[in-house]
Amino acid sequence: MSTSAFPSKFDFPNPPDSSDSEPSIAFALARINPLRPSGFTKLNGKYTSSSFPYSYTTKTENENWLPSLTTVRSDDSVVARIHWKTLSPTLFHFVDSGPEMIPSNTLMKHDSGSKQSGFEKGFEDRILTLPDGRQARWVIGRIKCRLYTNSDARTLLAEFHRTRKEPKEGTLVLQIFPEAIQGEAKQRKAVVEFILVTYLYLEKIRIDSL
């Protein structure tokens, strides 16, 4: 479909009702270092879920007060690295895909026709291909990022939000909906990790731009 036909950020549907389908994967985020500024929580945290057999930790190294390398681990194994750049595209390394470094502008294409103004801060959507071959679109809002299928159905695949349950202040959650995680176990794991890593990159962009 043409990018001009894609709706405004304000026209997207709410999260699907999962009562009649498989449960979504809700990764609760816990900050590893309570003294670290909250803006870096997502780059230095632990993501755990009761409905997924793997948990993930993110740890970021800084150089001259700026992030230089974020490592994503599952248990003791490295699954991905983000090599942050300022004067050139940031580089991604997905360990299971081999030694290749993928530039951010290759992994995700900007949709200049999606740029919003005013409250939405002028972010452009990012279009990417999931490990299972489906095309998706990260929509970057002022408050949070949401991942949709890049189609007329614009099905919500993932979002980061704060729960309304106890404790009172809520829990930060990266929620991945059943529509995103199809196929056999290895493919599901690859999709989950791809969503997590690309989310970390775009969330940093969103935070840095506020």
Side-chain angles (χ1 to χ4, degrees):
M1 64 177 292
S2 64
T3 55
S4 59
F6 211 76
S8 161
K9 291 177 171 62
F10 298 108
D11 295 336
F12 286 104
N14 289 320
D17 183 358
S18 59
S19 58
D20 297 324
S21 62
E22 296 182 12
S24 60
I25 301 173
F27 285 103
L29 171 59
R31 192 183 308 176
I32 292 178
N33 183 352
L35 300 179
R36 190 174 293 275
S38 60
F40 291 93
T41 299
K42 302 173 187 71
L43 299 182
N44 291 276
K46 184 169 185 178
Y47 296 78
T48 57
S49 174
S50 60
S51 57
F52 196 67
Y54 301 95
S55 61
Y56 298 93
T57 57
T58 58
K59 184 176 182 180
T60 299
E61 302 171 21
N62 295 326
E63 184 175 329
N64 297 325
W65 298 98
L66 295 174
S68 59
L69 173 66
T70 295
T71 302
V72 182
R73 295 178 180 271
S74 176
D75 297 325
D76 294 328
S77 302
V78 175
V79 298
R81 297 181 179 92
I82 305 174
H83 298 262
W84 301 100
K85 306 293 182 181
T86 53
L87 301 180
S88 60
T90 289
L91 299 175
F92 294 82
H93 176 211
F94 294 92
V95 174
D96 286 346
S97 299
E100 181 185 7
M101 297 279 194
I102 308 174
S104 57
N105 57 357
T106 299
L107 189 69
M108 290 174 275
K109 302 296 185 183
H110 289 239
D111 178 8
S112 58
S114 67
K115 192 171 183 177
Q116 302 292 316
S117 60
F119 185 75
E120 285 298 306
K121 295 288 288 185
F123 293 116
E124 293 178 350
D125 295 354
R126 302 302 201 276
I127 299 173
L128 63 160
T129 302
L130 299 175
D132 61 9
R134 289 179 295 163
Q135 198 172 69
R137 172 186 296 255
W138 274 113
V139 178
I140 312 169
R142 179 180 174 86
I143 299 175
K144 61 183 175 182
C145 302
R146 280 182 160 186
L147 181 68
Y148 295 88
T149 55
N150 190 38
S151 64
D152 290 325
R154 61 184 193 274
T155 303
L156 181 61
L157 301 177
E159 69 171 342
F160 192 88
H161 62 95
R162 186 183 297 275
T163 66
R164 300 304 180 197
K165 300 178 181 180
E166 296 295 336
K168 184 177 181 181
E169 65 272 14
T171 301
L172 294 173
V173 170
L174 174 62
Q175 188 161 8
I176 302 176
F177 296 101
E179 291 78 6
I181 41 177
Q182 303 172 1
E184 46 85 24
K186 185 176 180 180
Q187 179 174 284
R188 288 160 57 92
K189 182 175 183 289
V191 170
V192 166
E193 292 170 357
F194 188 83
I195 290 174
L196 172 61
V197 172
T198 54
Y199 165 75
L200 293 171
Y201 169 73
L202 294 174
E203 178 66 3
K204 181 181 181 299
I205 291 177
R206 187 188 71 82
I207 292 293
D208 287 350
S209 299
L210 295 180

